[in-house]
Amino acid sequence: RQSQGKMKDVPRLGEVVEANEETVMFLEPWEKTVATFEGERLNCLSRMWCVFELFHTVRAGNAFAILLPKDERARFIDALMENARAATDAFAKLRIENAKAFDPKDEAWIMKEVDASVGRREVNRVVIEASHAAVTELAVR
């Protein structure tokens, strides 16, 4: 029964996100959007719903910000001091088709929506650019 209600609300995600002025994502660990080994701890941009939400945020012209807990922010700044491209390198691997959802039906629905609208390449471009801009802003705060 819960899944029936969810599937009724799912098509409204874009509408709901676009009605907000800003999307804020809490990333921990900041650089882990893609798993390199089984069971690795990943941030929210490894989840398909979050990538889809970020795409709708940008498409609506709304603000997007990334928040890091204090210890993650310190790791982030250390990484930038060691390699100025650390942040852009981390987000360059973002791909909606590599993101996961708990429910395979959700993954199929989202990919169908993406493919029927602007396509995966455009979603990936938008999400990567927005992520780069948000971490750049984070670095100068």
Side-chain angles (χ1 to χ4, degrees):
R1 180 163 183 200
Q2 182 181 12
S3 66
Q4 289 173 342
K6 178 182 81 170
M7 289 314 290
K8 189 171 101 177
D9 292 338
V10 164
R12 296 189 58 236
L13 175 73
E15 173 188 334
V16 171
V17 170
E18 291 170 13
N20 292 305
E21 294 178 15
E22 181 177 24
T23 298
V24 177
M25 290 190 179
F26 186 80
L27 299 186
E28 185 179 22
W30 73 267
E31 79 283 21
K32 293 294 184 176
T33 60
V34 178
T36 55
F37 61 87
E38 184 70 31
E40 185 172 19
R41 191 165 154 243
L42 303 172
N43 68 41
C44 67
L45 288 173
S46 67
R47 295 195 297 272
M48 192 173 283
W49 278 114
C50 294
V51 175
F52 196 55
E53 179 180 351
L54 175 51
F55 171 73
H56 279 286
T57 297
V58 174
R59 189 169 94 174
N62 294 343
F64 170 61
I66 290 175
L67 293 180
L68 301 177
K70 189 175 181 179
D71 59 330
E72 278 302 296
R73 182 167 170 70
R75 276 191 348 95
F76 172 70
I77 298 300
D78 288 347
L80 290 179
M81 293 177 82
E82 187 176 314
N83 174 5
R85 293 186 47 89
T88 55
D89 290 350
F91 294 102
K93 299 172 188 156
L94 264 172
R95 301 286 182 276
I96 193 161
E97 59 269 24
N98 294 336
K100 300 292 178 202
F102 291 113
D103 187 340
K105 290 178 187 174
D106 290 350
E107 285 185 26
W109 183 86
I110 291 171
M111 293 313 298
K112 181 179 174 187
E113 288 294 305
V114 166
D115 291 340
S117 62
V118 298
R120 297 172 190 200
R121 183 181 178 110
E122 179 63 6
V123 168
N124 292 334
R125 183 193 66 75
V126 165
V127 168
I128 290 168
E129 285 181 8
S131 299
H132 286 168
V135 295
T136 299
E137 176 65 27
L138 184 64
V140 298
R141 273 195 246 149

